[in-house]
Amino acid sequence: MADLSKEQRTTAEQREQYGREIDAKNAAMENVEVPLENKALADHEIPPPLTEEEVRAKVGNQNYRNAAEDNAPTSINS
């Protein structure tokens, strides 16, 4: 903040006002009703798993082969 010119710096009042606006937006979002299409599916609504052929068609043959033949260990921290 020290390298900003005096005109570029925000005042304490501006920062407080911004904080109040963000708090108000967050409070408004807390009680939002979830649309019916975004709710979890019931067991009878869950589609069956994709076959290998369907997966290949969606991701491409080379991507499927690369993922299936990947022998590299995955990172623990990823």
Side-chain angles (χ1 to χ4, degrees):
M1 187 161 161
D3 27 352
L4 294 176
S5 70
K6 195 164 192 144
E7 295 82 33
Q8 291 176 315
R9 296 181 195 161
T10 58
T11 65
E13 291 82 18
Q14 289 171 320
R15 291 190 299 271
E16 289 171 0
Q17 178 62 32
Y18 178 74
R20 285 191 289 274
E21 291 171 6
I22 293 299
D23 286 344
K25 287 180 183 178
N26 290 338
M29 293 300 292
E30 285 179 1
N31 296 320
V32 173
E33 184 176 338
V34 177
L36 203 57
E37 60 269 10
N38 292 347
K39 292 187 179 180
L41 297 174
D43 288 340
H44 68 277
E45 296 175 316
I46 298 174
L50 297 175
T51 65
E52 284 191 32
E53 292 78 27
E54 291 171 323
V55 173
R56 277 183 204 263
K58 287 182 180 281
V59 301
N61 197 33
Q62 187 61 46
N63 286 337
Y64 182 83
R65 260 192 276 133
N66 290 344
E69 297 170 3
D70 185 17
N71 295 328
T74 57
S75 172
I76 294 173
N77 295 324
S78 59

